[in-house]
Amino acid sequence: MGKEIAKLPSPLAEKYRATAKLDALRAAEYARLDAGGHVYLDYTGGGLYAEAQLRAHLELLRTHVFGNPHSSNPTSQAMTDLVEGARAYILKFFNADPNEYCAIFTQNASGALKLVGEAYPFEPNDRYLLTFDNHNSVNGVREFARARGAHVTYVPVLLPDMRLDQSALREELERPRVKGNNLFAFPAQSNFSGVQHPLEFVEWAHARGWDVLLDAAAFTPTNRLDLGQVKPEFVTQSFYKVFGYPTGVGALIAKRETLKKLHRPWFAGGTITVASVQGDKYYLSEGEAAFEDGTLNYLNIPAVEIGLRHIDAIGYAAIHERVTLLTQFLLDGLNALHHSNGATLVRVYGPLDTQQRGGTVTMNFYDAHGRAMDHREIERRANAQNISLRTGCFCNPGGGEIALGITGTELSQCFRQPGHEARFTIDDFRMCVDGKSSGAVRVSVGLVSNLADVETFLEFAASLVA
Ligand SMILES: Cc1ncc(COP(=O)(O)O)c(C=O)c1O
């Protein structure tokens, strides 16, 4: 490790050494990474869990009898206590006032987004404003908005940094539907470019009469989100992205007051106080219960609290610092790579420094004649070296279209081709944007990434130099 740190410029080396506890943690709790020779660079896809999380969860399950929560029998009550404890811990973790916010358990961030989309009271001429840079599960909310006659507007991001066009955003925010329902959605961090969009947008939007949906899924793995400071109406979250285990649990953290104006499209077991067959009537529960359909993933929910406590014990300061340093090292290393004729090897989509950006770095590789190399081929080669990275557009088509220069006109032409009214495969898409890359390569560093991981990737990238 000392040898690797020597590669860092000395102020960075000093800072890196200050995060050495993460190396000890990796050795003790994530030994399977190095034992298996893994170079894991897909933290934006999914976080990794510590063995201690598994031990603690298993011990809990092994030593208790748990029944379906929300009954008064002893096994049910024991489970209810843990579920409610985890719910309270989530709010504490995000410094959310329990009188102001509640935590609704969902399957994942997408489940949380769907809850908002289907229940937000969009009416004709209301507005759904969102950034080009969004995960598809945020884009998908537009279908609910449109179906109810609301206007959907996208605010572009600008090359080369892929930051939001702030003047376009201000212009749109100035035009809410007066006395209407106006929802603005953006990601705290892009899962495409790693850009961290300013959280001040939340207040800008509030001041102009908008509700705000903040997608925190790519942000919270390496950054503290403080809901005592930033107060969006809705925050969406997948816990496996933060601490790897368990999958299948996410949360919608929502303002209690705003929940009152949502209209759920149905009722289900658990969401009502009373429902009657003969009386043909139902009464929705208050608060979080109204949004949790059927039986929760209750045995896994205590593992969420275990995971959050794990992050708390490490501290975001160290995680954030480590990720920032590695990201800088990665960006500098990639930028320094050129073909022997001087041509650029790598084009990074997004900021080249670590100001307001996270540890997600997306790029394409170019040959010595400036032709894009197929990202699928890059992935195949990386796979062969046990490097886990991700290629494609990462469910963020707006980010991809801007980065790759694919225009709306081109896309409309593609989608209008005969035979493509209802079906369009990824291969059809590739054929249609022939000549342009249809995707990119994404590497992302996280909780227990180290310099050796980044070094290995840079060596891999250097092997593509001609
Ligand atoms: C920014 C962002 N939002 C939302 C999601 C959706 O998360 P999930 O697939 O866990 O629902 C992801 C997943 O990659 C993401 O990166």
Side-chain angles (χ1 to χ4, degrees):
M1 183 53 59
K3 190 164 137 265
E4 282 136 16
I5 293 179
K7 289 176 182 142
L8 289 174
S10 66
L12 291 190
E14 204 53 38
K15 287 185 179 168
Y16 190 84
R17 275 196 200 92
T19 62
K21 71 171 175 185
L22 292 170
D23 298 315
L25 182 73
R26 175 169 169 145
E29 293 290 341
Y30 299 78
R32 64 192 186 281
L33 268 176
D34 294 313
H38 286 282
V39 178
Y40 188 77
L41 293 170
D42 192 20
Y43 284 85
T44 304
L48 298 181
Y49 51 81
E51 288 176 29
Q53 287 170 252
L54 304 184
R55 283 195 299 272
H57 189 212
L58 185 61
E59 188 59 13
L60 188 73
L61 298 182
R62 227 176 40 75
T63 54
H64 293 79
V65 179
F66 291 125
N68 193 326
H70 300 135
S71 179
S72 69
N73 72 63
T75 51
S76 173
Q77 190 57 51
M79 197 66 247
T80 304
D81 291 347
L82 287 177
V83 167
E84 296 313 314
R87 203 191 291 286
Y89 200 86
I90 290 169
L91 294 179
K92 183 166 171 272
F93 184 85
F94 292 110
N95 193 27
D97 177 349
N99 294 316
E100 188 178 13
Y101 281 98
C102 67
I104 297 162
F105 286 112
T106 61
Q107 195 183 353
N108 45 35
S110 300
L113 288 156
K114 185 160 180 253
L115 275 183
V116 177
E118 68 185 10
Y120 192 79
F122 288 118
E123 287 176 3
N125 298 321
D126 279 346
R127 299 199 62 195
Y128 180 46
L129 180 68
L130 67 170
T131 50
F132 258 64
D133 181 9
N134 257 315
H135 189 274
N136 260 339
S137 302
V138 181
N139 288 324
V141 170
R142 75 185 186 206
E143 300 304 317
F144 290 115
R146 273 206 195 116
R148 287 186 232 126
H151 298 295
V152 175
T153 313
Y154 277 98
V155 179
V157 292
L158 302 172
L159 288 171
D161 278 5
M162 298 197 64
R163 296 198 190 275
L164 209 59
D165 181 341
Q166 294 203 8
S167 63
L169 175 65
R170 277 180 197 272
E171 233 169 75
E172 292 300 339
L173 287 175
E174 293 297 346
R175 302 191 296 109
R177 178 173 170 234
V178 179
K179 297 204 176 116
N181 295 301
N182 303 283
L183 182 63
F184 168 49
F186 74 101
Q189 180 170 317
S190 170
N191 71 328
F192 187 94
S193 64
V195 162
Q196 292 176 343
H197 298 293
L199 296 176
E200 293 83 63
F201 292 167
V202 175
E203 271 321 301
W204 288 17
H206 281 166
R208 293 159 179 84
W210 294 77
D211 291 326
V212 180
L213 192 174
L214 183 71
D215 177 11
F219 182 78
T220 48
T222 57
N223 303 273
R224 174 167 296 287
L225 178 63
D226 183 344
L227 296 179
Q229 299 286 325
V230 182
K231 292 174 176 283
E233 277 61 33
F234 307 106
V235 177
T236 51
Q237 177 70 70
S238 271
F239 290 111
Y240 69 88
K241 293 208 187 278
V242 185
F243 39 78
Y245 175 86
T247 51
V249 190
L252 170 63
I253 302 169
K255 278 193 179 159
R256 291 183 184 279
E257 204 48 41
T258 314
L259 283 185
K260 291 184 188 155
K261 74 173 185 184
L262 302 194
H263 301 306
R264 292 227 60 201
W266 79 323
F267 66 90
T271 67
I272 43 100
T273 53
V274 173
S276 161
V277 170
Q278 296 184 80
D280 194 17
K281 180 90 181 150
Y282 71 92
Y283 295 88
L284 220 53
S285 298
E286 302 254 312
E288 58 269 347
F291 292 84
E292 293 175 340
D293 296 340
T295 302
L296 288 171
N297 187 351
Y298 60 85
L299 288 179
N300 271 334
I301 285 175
V304 170
E305 182 171 341
I306 292 168
L308 292 171
R309 287 183 185 276
H310 176 61
I311 299 295
D312 267 343
I314 301 164
Y316 267 117
I319 301 168
H320 182 84
E321 179 77 335
R322 164 71 60 111
V323 162
T324 302
L325 292 167
L326 290 178
T327 306
Q328 191 64 67
F329 185 58
L330 175 60
L331 289 167
D332 293 347
L334 288 172
N335 255 341
L337 292 172
H338 291 93
H339 293 288
S340 53
N341 65 357
T344 300
L345 175 72
V346 188
R347 176 165 174 215
V348 171
Y349 304 116
L352 296 178
D353 61 29
T354 51
Q355 294 305 307
Q356 288 209 298
R357 72 119 62 229
T360 303
V361 179
T362 295
M363 68 203 85
N364 264 317
F365 289 86
Y366 293 84
D367 69 15
H369 307 288
R371 289 179 301 232
M373 298 184 197
D374 191 328
H375 56 87
R376 292 167 302 167
E377 176 58 18
I378 304 288
E379 183 168 9
R380 270 194 290 275
R381 290 199 202 186
N383 293 347
Q385 296 193 26
N386 217 10
I387 299 174
S388 291
L389 45 70
R390 192 166 287 257
T391 65
C393 268
F394 329 116
C395 293
N396 187 327
E401 288 161 23
I402 298 270
L404 304 171
I406 303 170
T407 64
T409 314
E410 283 171 278
L411 287 163
S412 302
Q413 274 167 6
C414 290
F415 300 150
R416 274 204 305 269
Q417 286 171 351
H420 288 310
E421 294 76 17
R423 197 166 173 277
F424 203 72
T425 66
I426 189 69
D427 285 329
D428 294 332
F429 182 65
R430 262 188 213 112
M431 295 282 283
C432 194
V433 297
D434 189 30
K436 288 189 183 183
S437 186
S438 60
V441 177
R442 183 180 82 183
V443 299
S444 48
V445 287
L447 182 59
V448 286
S449 295
N450 64 16
L451 259 181
D453 293 332
V454 175
E455 262 295 298
T456 306
F457 179 70
L458 289 174
E459 279 162 21
F460 166 76
S463 75
L464 301 169
V465 165

